[in-house]
Each structure stands twice: as C-alpha cells, then as structure tokens.
Amino acid sequence: MRNSLTALVTAISLISGPSWALDDAGDMAKAASPTTVATNRAVLDQLPFQDRADYDAARKGLVAAFEGEIKNADGKTVWNTHQYDFLSQKQAPDSVNPSLWRMAQLNANAGLFQVTDRIYQLRGIDLANMTIIEGDDGLIIIDPLYVTETSKAGLELYYKNRPRKPVVAVIYSHSHIDHFGGVRGVIDEADVQAGKVHIYAPSGFMEHAIQENVLAGNAMLRRGKYQSGGSVERSERGQLDTGIGKGAPVGGTISLIAPSDLIVEPLEKKTIAGVQFEFQLTPGTEAPSEMNIYLPQMQALCMSENAVMTMHNVLTPRGAEVRDAKAWWQFLDDSLVRYGDKTQVMFAQHNWPTWGAEGIRNLLADERDMYAFINNRTLNLLNQGMTPLEIADAVKKLPGELDHKWYARGYYGNLSFNTRAVYQRYMGFYDGNPANLDPLPPVDAGKHYVQAMGGAEKVLELMHAAMQQGDYRWAAQLGNHLVFAEPDNKAARQAQADALEQLGYRSESAIWRNMYLTGAQELRQVQPQMGAPATADLIRAATPTMFMDVLAVRMDSDKAQGHDMTLNWNFTDLGQSFAVTLRNGVLTYREHASHAKADVTVTMSKDVLDRISLRQLDFPTALKQGDIKLEGDAERFKAMLGMLTSFQPTFNIVTP
C-alpha cells in the first residue's frame, strides 16, 4: 500500500511547486546572426530611446540600495542581485532586443525607495514589490513578496533606515503567490490569531490563491518554467528579465496565513493604524481576486497589478483562465474617474511609480485604451471571419501614440498572445475551419510533412535556407515538424534550437525570450531536474473539496473501467463527509453526504491528510497508529489508489 499511496501524496503536493536545478552543460548559447543583429538595431529607430524619464523614475526616492545575496536557512542563495551585473553596459548587446534591454535595466534597480510621505517600497529583491506604509502605531505591508527570505530581508533593510515599528497589518492585493508567499517573513501567525495583526484581502482570495494552479497544476508548473526562464543562465544570451521584474527567487520558503478581514463590497473604506484606505475590488482583471487601493491622506493610488509599466497578459503562457479584457479596461476607467483628479503618485506591485496627476491620468487612460483595443479589435476581426492566427498577424501594433508609449510595450503580455486570448474567451480554440476539427497530432503530422517535403535532409536544407534569409519563424515551423517526426535526429534538434534561439534574441517580450531560449536549451539536451519540497501553508490551506477535485483529475479512467465502487470519506476534525462514487471510470463526489451502503468508509482528520501530503507520515503507519480507519473492503480502496496517475513535471514540450 505504501507505493499505491504515492499518487495520493502527489495529488496534494501539486499545490506547492517543485524546485528545479540545471544540469551542467556549459555555455551552449550561440551568437546573434547577422539578420538578428540587423533586426535588433532597427528597433533603435522605431522607438523613442532618447526619452530617459523612466530611468530617473526607477531610481527616484532611493533610500538604500540592495546589493548582494539573500540566503535560506540552509545557506543556499535565494536571491542574488549580482547575477544581473551584466546589465550595467549602456548599449544593448546584439543578442537582445534594445527595447527589452532597456526594460531589464530599469527593473534591475534594487533597494528601499520612498514613494511619498509615509509610503516606501522594496523593489528588485524579488519578482514583485513590497510596499510599506507607516501608520500611527505601526507598519502596514502591502504584498509581502514571494518567499519569506526576501520579505524578511526587505523589512530588515527598511528597519536599518527607518524607525523600527511593529507590523500591525498586511494587505494582499491579489491572489497570485508572488504577492503573499513571504508573509511569514514579516509577521507571526500567533499575532494574527490574537488580533494584534490584521490581514486584509479581496473577496475570494483563499479559494483562488490555492485553486488556480491545482487542477492543472502539473502542466502549469512545467510551462511556468518556460515563461520565467528559470533554468536559463542569466546573461546577455540568456534570461535577463520577465517584464514585471527580474525573476522569481529560487529555493525560498513559500508561506500563507489566511486573511482575517475580507473586502467584500465593490468600494470599501477602512482606517488602519490611523491611515485611511479605500479598496476598489477588480475581480476578473489581472487576477480573479484583486483590488486597487487609494490612500486619500497621501493622495496615493496603488493599482495592484492592474496597471504596471508593460502590457500585461490577458492569458499567461503558463496557463490560467482567460482574463476579461473588457472588465479590465472598465475597471481602469473607473479608477481614472474616481481617483484621477486627486492622485499625485500612483504605484503598483511591480515596476516603479508614476508621479504627477497629469502623467497618472495619461497612463490610466492609455492602458484603458490598450485593453479596450485588444478586446474590441479582436472582436471586430473575428466577426469578419478572421481566425486567431490571422488576427494575431494582422494586429501588429497598438493604434496611434499608444504604440510609442513605453508602458504599453509588450514586455510581459504582448499583442499576438493577447488577441488570441480574447478570441479564445469568446469563441474557444477552434477557428471554424472544418479542416481543423480533427487535425493529426504533432508526431503523425510531422512524419507526413517530412515525407511530403522529401525527407529529413531536404527539410534541414529548407530550414538552413530560411535561417540564412532571417526567416526564423518559418524555420521553426519546419523544424518542429522534423523534430516530432524524428526526435533522435541530432541535426534536426540543433537546427531547431538555433532557430528558437534567434527568435528569442529578437523578442521584445521578456517571457517570449525566456520560452524560446528554454526550448533551445532543452533541444540541446539540457534537461531540468526537480525535487518536490511541499509548501506546508498551501497544503494546509487546501480544502478537502479541493483534494477530491484533484483525486478526480488524477483518476486514470482506462484503469478504472470495471472497478465501480462507492466510498464514504469522513474528516472528523472538520465534521465534513463526502460520498465518493467511482463509476464508468469516473470519480465523482457529493459533499456533506454519505452512501447508505458504501464499499469502503475512510475516516481520518484533515491534519493526517496534510501530514501524508507533506511526507511527514505514510499511509501504512497512519493505519497502524489508528490515525486512519478503514471499514469495509480495504482491498478495493487499495486498488483505487493504484488507479491514480502520477504526473511527471518534466514532460516534454519541444520534443514528443
């Protein structure tokens, strides 16, 4: 039974993420090709690089720079600012789009910054920003970063330069992990339980903080590594930014403390430590649970992640529910109307602030127009019968002056992906062409294409010809067919890696660059390795209902055919019961219900389930100790556990 429980353990441990390490493969990156060099240099004439205002804004208010490392309890480096020292050279190297190089330099400013009177930010020591507001009798922290090590280091840097007041409140601006994972680095849960510290969050926070990455968690984790470039070397030929920050900390401690106070009204006012707050809920925008925050005493507006210094993602490449670009622009307009005439500084939980009422109004209006254009133009073209790829190719740039506004450039999200996301939201993935109703899968299609083009050598010849002409998009399409037809063809893999690498060098989008370069790296047979340290807070925050959902997803319907059964599953400490049915190879459940005659009854506590998921306890020991009780046909229960799929978070992406 110990082995059969592995799938059960993995089912819950997906809520946390694996840590990754890179095999030692040396510097395999190649130089930018002549056509890539020419393409990148042409960008210098297309955008207003003489405008250096953002360089001043990104450094404005610097109180103390942060230079060095942040380590975890084992002495391993979680964050190292020096890994981006190569960004100090002014001119973009040939292997980087100059617009992206500019953004990477701006995001490299690290330290404690004063935003305005009583408001400070820690920037450049994590993917997100941590904002500290000085209340009358203590500190209010907005978004305590991704991991406890960076949030603790950030707070200590603040204390070295400002009076040491206690933290009396934490605000989670939204439900993404880089905005709450470091909470235990700045407060103690005992103080929350005692009422000494309050945690504020938007309605639906806990559900979305845990659930967004659970059901498709394995695939999201894998694709997320492509998006962040987590395994790619930090260098001018590698990862240099994500558009909203440098990258995520590696090997840190992710935590979560449940909110004590939820914001449930569309507009809700509170006074915290003598500071007035107005919370504006913005569900369905950058996150399903999110809010903007206005501080009238400081005439300061926090736009969470709804208005940052780049076009954002309507659909993230790692995977998520498609966001609502229409709701996004409408909430931005609401913020503009409500706060535009009474705000002197606007800051977000990524990138740097904007000062001055006119500049703030312009940014909010421009980003409103940007998301409205993405939504409306896509709908305009799809109603003319255009398909997602046709729309993405037709919408080359934003209209009017928007295309030359730095904060509307596609460093994180981009037009190509966002228009396709809007299409998907309204129309689904199918483009309407019956030829695409039932296309061949990649391996079969690849074999047919290669045969039709005259064999592998001919396809390689066509690829090299395309690359010589700088047509790397076509080369990559050819190469993809060849690699899927012949995955062991080293020449094909190398050629495809070369094509993806050049596309990465040209990309203005940081995450597109990361995805291209990660794909090139894996084609060159540099594979990430993983471990799976579970994140205790996220495991414990997952509800039994979420566990049942994951159990159902992991059920292998082929193996389960002919093994119909019923189970009653009781969690004694929660007084929560589930009537579980396995029928036709499908697992379903009813909450707060029981079968009159179940084949097996499982009785346990949620705490025991958490300990098993955290690998602090195994199933046989729990049974022996009486922590779990089985009544009925225990062998059928064991058989059910053996039908669960064990997902591998290193599945292939650029190869079959």
Side-chain angles (χ1 to χ4, degrees), residues 265-305:
E265 299 297 328
L267 291 168
E268 195 165 325
K269 295 181 180 180
K270 290 187 179 294
T271 299
I272 306 170
V275 179
Q276 297 170 22
F277 288 81
E278 182 170 311
F279 299 99
Q280 177 198 19
L281 290 181
T282 63
T285 53
E286 189 273 335
S289 172
E290 189 152 358
M291 61 186 179
N292 299 329
I293 304 164
Y294 182 66
L295 298 99
Q297 293 152 297
M298 295 83 157
Q299 293 184 290
L301 176 62
C302 173
M303 287 301 294
S304 185
E305 203 169 328

Short mmCIF file of all heavy atoms in Angstrom, two decimals, residues 265-305:
data_model
loop_
_atom_site.label_atom_id
_atom_site.label_comp_id
_atom_site.label_asym_id
_atom_site.label_seq_id
_atom_site.Cartn_x
_atom_site.Cartn_y
_atom_site.Cartn_z
N GLU A 265 -17.23 44.46 -0.44
CA GLU A 265 -18.01 45.45 -1.17
C GLU A 265 -17.20 45.98 -2.35
O GLU A 265 -15.97 46.05 -2.28
CB GLU A 265 -18.43 46.60 -0.26
CG GLU A 265 -19.31 46.18 0.90
CD GLU A 265 -20.63 45.59 0.46
OE1 GLU A 265 -21.15 46.02 -0.60
OE2 GLU A 265 -21.15 44.70 1.15
N PRO A 266 -17.85 46.39 -3.44
CA PRO A 266 -17.10 46.94 -4.58
C PRO A 266 -16.18 48.09 -4.20
O PRO A 266 -15.07 48.21 -4.72
CB PRO A 266 -18.22 47.40 -5.53
CG PRO A 266 -19.39 46.53 -5.19
CD PRO A 266 -19.31 46.32 -3.71
N LEU A 267 -16.64 48.93 -3.30
CA LEU A 267 -15.83 50.01 -2.72
C LEU A 267 -15.99 49.95 -1.21
O LEU A 267 -17.11 49.95 -0.70
CB LEU A 267 -16.27 51.37 -3.25
CG LEU A 267 -15.99 51.66 -4.72
CD1 LEU A 267 -16.73 52.89 -5.17
CD2 LEU A 267 -14.49 51.82 -4.95
N GLU A 268 -14.89 49.86 -0.51
CA GLU A 268 -14.95 49.69 0.93
C GLU A 268 -13.87 50.54 1.60
O GLU A 268 -12.70 50.49 1.20
CB GLU A 268 -14.78 48.22 1.29
CG GLU A 268 -15.19 47.87 2.70
CD GLU A 268 -15.34 46.36 2.90
OE1 GLU A 268 -15.78 45.66 1.96
OE2 GLU A 268 -15.03 45.89 4.00
N LYS A 269 -14.26 51.33 2.58
CA LYS A 269 -13.33 52.22 3.28
C LYS A 269 -13.01 51.66 4.66
O LYS A 269 -13.89 51.16 5.36
CB LYS A 269 -13.93 53.62 3.41
CG LYS A 269 -14.14 54.33 2.08
CD LYS A 269 -14.71 55.73 2.28
CE LYS A 269 -14.91 56.42 0.93
NZ LYS A 269 -15.45 57.80 1.09
N LYS A 270 -11.73 51.76 5.03
CA LYS A 270 -11.29 51.34 6.35
C LYS A 270 -10.18 52.28 6.82
O LYS A 270 -9.46 52.87 6.00
CB LYS A 270 -10.76 49.90 6.34
CG LYS A 270 -11.85 48.85 6.13
CD LYS A 270 -11.31 47.45 6.30
CE LYS A 270 -12.41 46.41 6.12
NZ LYS A 270 -13.43 46.47 7.19
N THR A 271 -10.04 52.39 8.12
CA THR A 271 -8.91 53.11 8.70
C THR A 271 -8.05 52.09 9.44
O THR A 271 -8.54 51.37 10.33
CB THR A 271 -9.38 54.20 9.67
OG1 THR A 271 -10.18 55.15 8.94
CG2 THR A 271 -8.19 54.93 10.29
N ILE A 272 -6.79 52.00 9.06
CA ILE A 272 -5.86 51.02 9.62
C ILE A 272 -4.66 51.77 10.17
O ILE A 272 -3.97 52.49 9.44
CB ILE A 272 -5.40 50.01 8.55
CG1 ILE A 272 -6.61 49.36 7.86
CG2 ILE A 272 -4.50 48.95 9.18
CD1 ILE A 272 -6.24 48.53 6.63
N ALA A 273 -4.43 51.65 11.48
CA ALA A 273 -3.31 52.32 12.14
C ALA A 273 -3.31 53.82 11.84
O ALA A 273 -2.25 54.42 11.62
CB ALA A 273 -1.99 51.69 11.74
N GLY A 274 -4.50 54.41 11.81
CA GLY A 274 -4.62 55.84 11.56
C GLY A 274 -4.53 56.25 10.11
O GLY A 274 -4.63 57.45 9.79
N VAL A 275 -4.37 55.28 9.20
CA VAL A 275 -4.27 55.56 7.77
C VAL A 275 -5.60 55.19 7.10
O VAL A 275 -6.12 54.09 7.31
CB VAL A 275 -3.11 54.79 7.12
CG1 VAL A 275 -3.05 55.08 5.62
CG2 VAL A 275 -1.79 55.14 7.78
N GLN A 276 -6.13 56.11 6.30
CA GLN A 276 -7.38 55.86 5.60
C GLN A 276 -7.12 55.09 4.30
O GLN A 276 -6.22 55.43 3.54
CB GLN A 276 -8.08 57.17 5.30
CG GLN A 276 -8.48 57.97 6.53
CD GLN A 276 -8.96 59.36 6.19
OE1 GLN A 276 -9.37 59.63 5.07
NE2 GLN A 276 -8.89 60.26 7.17
N PHE A 277 -7.93 54.06 4.06
CA PHE A 277 -7.83 53.24 2.86
C PHE A 277 -9.19 53.18 2.18
O PHE A 277 -10.22 53.11 2.85
CB PHE A 277 -7.40 51.80 3.20
CG PHE A 277 -5.98 51.65 3.63
CD1 PHE A 277 -5.60 51.93 4.94
CD2 PHE A 277 -5.01 51.22 2.73
CE1 PHE A 277 -4.29 51.78 5.34
CE2 PHE A 277 -3.69 51.08 3.13
CZ PHE A 277 -3.33 51.35 4.43
N GLU A 278 -9.18 53.23 0.86
CA GLU A 278 -10.38 52.91 0.09
C GLU A 278 -10.02 51.78 -0.86
O GLU A 278 -9.12 51.91 -1.70
CB GLU A 278 -10.88 54.12 -0.70
CG GLU A 278 -12.16 53.81 -1.48
CD GLU A 278 -12.82 55.04 -2.09
OE1 GLU A 278 -12.98 56.04 -1.34
OE2 GLU A 278 -13.13 55.02 -3.29
N PHE A 279 -10.69 50.64 -0.71
CA PHE A 279 -10.42 49.45 -1.51
C PHE A 279 -11.42 49.38 -2.67
O PHE A 279 -12.63 49.50 -2.47
CB PHE A 279 -10.52 48.19 -0.66
CG PHE A 279 -9.54 48.14 0.48
CD1 PHE A 279 -9.92 48.49 1.77
CD2 PHE A 279 -8.23 47.76 0.26
CE1 PHE A 279 -9.02 48.44 2.83
CE2 PHE A 279 -7.31 47.71 1.31
CZ PHE A 279 -7.70 48.05 2.59
N GLN A 280 -10.90 49.17 -3.87
CA GLN A 280 -11.73 49.03 -5.07
C GLN A 280 -11.55 47.61 -5.61
O GLN A 280 -10.50 47.26 -6.15
CB GLN A 280 -11.30 50.05 -6.14
CG GLN A 280 -12.06 49.92 -7.45
CD GLN A 280 -11.35 50.62 -8.61
OE1 GLN A 280 -10.15 50.89 -8.55
NE2 GLN A 280 -12.09 50.89 -9.68
N LEU A 281 -12.57 46.78 -5.45
CA LEU A 281 -12.48 45.41 -5.95
C LEU A 281 -12.48 45.41 -7.48
O LEU A 281 -13.24 46.14 -8.12
CB LEU A 281 -13.65 44.57 -5.45
CG LEU A 281 -13.67 44.21 -3.96
CD1 LEU A 281 -14.90 43.36 -3.65
CD2 LEU A 281 -12.40 43.48 -3.54
N THR A 282 -11.61 44.57 -8.06
CA THR A 282 -11.50 44.47 -9.52
C THR A 282 -11.46 43.01 -9.95
O THR A 282 -10.49 42.56 -10.58
CB THR A 282 -10.24 45.21 -10.03
OG1 THR A 282 -9.07 44.57 -9.48
CG2 THR A 282 -10.25 46.67 -9.65
N PRO A 283 -12.49 42.24 -9.64
CA PRO A 283 -12.46 40.80 -9.98
C PRO A 283 -12.41 40.58 -11.48
O PRO A 283 -12.99 41.33 -12.26
CB PRO A 283 -13.77 40.29 -9.38
CG PRO A 283 -14.67 41.49 -9.34
CD PRO A 283 -13.76 42.64 -9.04
N GLY A 284 -11.68 39.53 -11.88
CA GLY A 284 -11.65 39.14 -13.28
C GLY A 284 -10.67 39.92 -14.13
O GLY A 284 -10.64 39.75 -15.35
N THR A 285 -9.86 40.76 -13.51
CA THR A 285 -8.86 41.51 -14.27
C THR A 285 -7.56 40.71 -14.30
O THR A 285 -7.53 39.61 -14.82
CB THR A 285 -8.66 42.91 -13.67
OG1 THR A 285 -8.38 42.80 -12.26
CG2 THR A 285 -9.92 43.75 -13.83
N GLU A 286 -6.49 41.25 -13.73
CA GLU A 286 -5.21 40.53 -13.76
C GLU A 286 -5.24 39.25 -12.93
O GLU A 286 -4.48 38.33 -13.17
CB GLU A 286 -4.09 41.49 -13.30
CG GLU A 286 -2.69 40.96 -13.48
CD GLU A 286 -2.22 40.12 -12.32
OE1 GLU A 286 -2.75 40.31 -11.19
OE2 GLU A 286 -1.33 39.28 -12.51
N ALA A 287 -6.12 39.22 -11.94
CA ALA A 287 -6.34 38.01 -11.14
C ALA A 287 -7.83 37.89 -10.86
O ALA A 287 -8.54 38.90 -10.86
CB ALA A 287 -5.55 38.07 -9.83
N PRO A 288 -8.32 36.68 -10.61
CA PRO A 288 -9.75 36.55 -10.32
C PRO A 288 -10.16 37.21 -9.02
O PRO A 288 -11.33 37.56 -8.85
CB PRO A 288 -9.95 35.03 -10.27
CG PRO A 288 -8.59 34.46 -10.05
CD PRO A 288 -7.63 35.39 -10.69
N SER A 289 -9.20 37.39 -8.10
CA SER A 289 -9.46 38.08 -6.84
C SER A 289 -8.40 39.17 -6.70
O SER A 289 -7.23 38.88 -6.43
CB SER A 289 -9.37 37.09 -5.67
OG SER A 289 -9.44 37.76 -4.43
N GLU A 290 -8.79 40.42 -6.90
CA GLU A 290 -7.81 41.52 -6.92
C GLU A 290 -8.50 42.81 -6.52
O GLU A 290 -9.71 42.97 -6.63
CB GLU A 290 -7.19 41.66 -8.31
CG GLU A 290 -6.02 42.61 -8.38
CD GLU A 290 -5.02 42.26 -9.47
OE1 GLU A 290 -5.22 41.25 -10.17
OE2 GLU A 290 -4.02 42.99 -9.62
N MET A 291 -7.71 43.78 -6.03
CA MET A 291 -8.26 45.08 -5.67
C MET A 291 -7.20 46.17 -5.79
O MET A 291 -6.02 45.94 -5.58
CB MET A 291 -8.82 45.06 -4.24
CG MET A 291 -7.82 44.75 -3.15
SD MET A 291 -8.65 44.58 -1.54
CE MET A 291 -7.23 44.19 -0.48
N ASN A 292 -7.66 47.36 -6.17
CA ASN A 292 -6.84 48.56 -6.12
C ASN A 292 -7.05 49.24 -4.77
O ASN A 292 -8.05 49.00 -4.09
CB ASN A 292 -7.22 49.52 -7.25
CG ASN A 292 -7.02 48.90 -8.62
OD1 ASN A 292 -6.14 48.07 -8.83
ND2 ASN A 292 -7.86 49.30 -9.58
N ILE A 293 -6.12 50.13 -4.40
CA ILE A 293 -6.16 50.74 -3.07
C ILE A 293 -5.84 52.23 -3.19
O ILE A 293 -4.80 52.60 -3.76
CB ILE A 293 -5.12 50.07 -2.13
CG1 ILE A 293 -5.34 48.55 -2.07
CG2 ILE A 293 -5.19 50.69 -0.74
CD1 ILE A 293 -4.17 47.78 -1.50
N TYR A 294 -6.72 53.07 -2.65
CA TYR A 294 -6.48 54.51 -2.65
C TYR A 294 -6.24 54.98 -1.21
O TYR A 294 -6.97 54.58 -0.29
CB TYR A 294 -7.65 55.27 -3.26
CG TYR A 294 -7.43 56.76 -3.30
CD1 TYR A 294 -6.43 57.31 -4.11
CD2 TYR A 294 -8.20 57.63 -2.53
CE1 TYR A 294 -6.21 58.68 -4.15
CE2 TYR A 294 -7.99 59.00 -2.57
CZ TYR A 294 -6.99 59.52 -3.37
OH TYR A 294 -6.78 60.87 -3.39
N LEU A 295 -5.21 55.83 -1.04
CA LEU A 295 -4.88 56.38 0.27
C LEU A 295 -5.06 57.90 0.21
O LEU A 295 -4.16 58.62 -0.25
CB LEU A 295 -3.44 56.03 0.65
CG LEU A 295 -3.16 54.53 0.79
CD1 LEU A 295 -2.51 53.97 -0.46
CD2 LEU A 295 -2.29 54.25 2.00
N PRO A 296 -6.21 58.41 0.63
CA PRO A 296 -6.52 59.82 0.44
C PRO A 296 -5.58 60.78 1.17
O PRO A 296 -5.30 61.87 0.67
CB PRO A 296 -7.96 59.94 0.95
CG PRO A 296 -8.19 58.74 1.81
CD PRO A 296 -7.33 57.68 1.24
N GLN A 297 -5.08 60.40 2.36
CA GLN A 297 -4.20 61.30 3.10
C GLN A 297 -2.90 61.56 2.36
O GLN A 297 -2.31 62.63 2.47
CB GLN A 297 -3.89 60.71 4.48
CG GLN A 297 -5.10 60.65 5.40
CD GLN A 297 -4.97 59.53 6.41
OE1 GLN A 297 -4.92 58.36 6.04
NE2 GLN A 297 -4.91 59.89 7.69
N MET A 298 -2.43 60.60 1.59
CA MET A 298 -1.19 60.74 0.83
C MET A 298 -1.45 61.07 -0.64
O MET A 298 -0.51 61.25 -1.40
CB MET A 298 -0.36 59.45 0.90
CG MET A 298 0.15 59.10 2.28
SD MET A 298 -1.11 58.25 3.25
CE MET A 298 -0.09 57.40 4.45
N GLN A 299 -2.72 61.10 -1.04
CA GLN A 299 -3.09 61.27 -2.45
C GLN A 299 -2.33 60.26 -3.32
O GLN A 299 -1.78 60.57 -4.37
CB GLN A 299 -2.81 62.70 -2.92
CG GLN A 299 -3.70 63.74 -2.27
CD GLN A 299 -3.47 65.12 -2.85
OE1 GLN A 299 -2.42 65.74 -2.62
NE2 GLN A 299 -4.43 65.60 -3.62
N ALA A 300 -2.36 59.00 -2.83
CA ALA A 300 -1.60 57.92 -3.47
C ALA A 300 -2.55 56.80 -3.89
O ALA A 300 -3.49 56.46 -3.16
CB ALA A 300 -0.54 57.39 -2.51
N LEU A 301 -2.30 56.25 -5.04
CA LEU A 301 -3.13 55.18 -5.60
C LEU A 301 -2.27 53.97 -5.90
O LEU A 301 -1.30 54.05 -6.65
CB LEU A 301 -3.81 55.67 -6.89
CG LEU A 301 -4.65 54.65 -7.68
CD1 LEU A 301 -5.82 54.15 -6.84
CD2 LEU A 301 -5.13 55.27 -8.99
N CYS A 302 -2.61 52.84 -5.29
CA CYS A 302 -1.95 51.56 -5.58
C CYS A 302 -2.82 50.80 -6.57
O CYS A 302 -3.96 50.45 -6.27
CB CYS A 302 -1.75 50.76 -4.30
SG CYS A 302 -1.12 49.08 -4.60
N MET A 303 -2.27 50.52 -7.75
CA MET A 303 -3.03 49.85 -8.80
C MET A 303 -2.77 48.35 -8.82
O MET A 303 -3.05 47.69 -9.84
CB MET A 303 -2.71 50.47 -10.16
CG MET A 303 -3.32 51.84 -10.35
SD MET A 303 -5.13 51.85 -10.21
CE MET A 303 -5.60 50.89 -11.64
N SER A 304 -2.26 47.82 -7.70
CA SER A 304 -2.05 46.38 -7.60
C SER A 304 -1.22 45.90 -8.79
O SER A 304 -0.10 46.39 -9.00
CB SER A 304 -3.40 45.66 -7.51
OG SER A 304 -3.25 44.30 -7.29
N GLU A 305 -1.76 44.98 -9.62
CA GLU A 305 -1.06 44.59 -10.84
C GLU A 305 -1.91 44.90 -12.07
O GLU A 305 -1.68 44.37 -13.15
CB GLU A 305 -0.68 43.11 -10.79
CG GLU A 305 0.47 42.74 -11.69
CD GLU A 305 1.01 41.34 -11.44
OE1 GLU A 305 0.98 40.86 -10.29
OE2 GLU A 305 1.48 40.72 -12.42
#
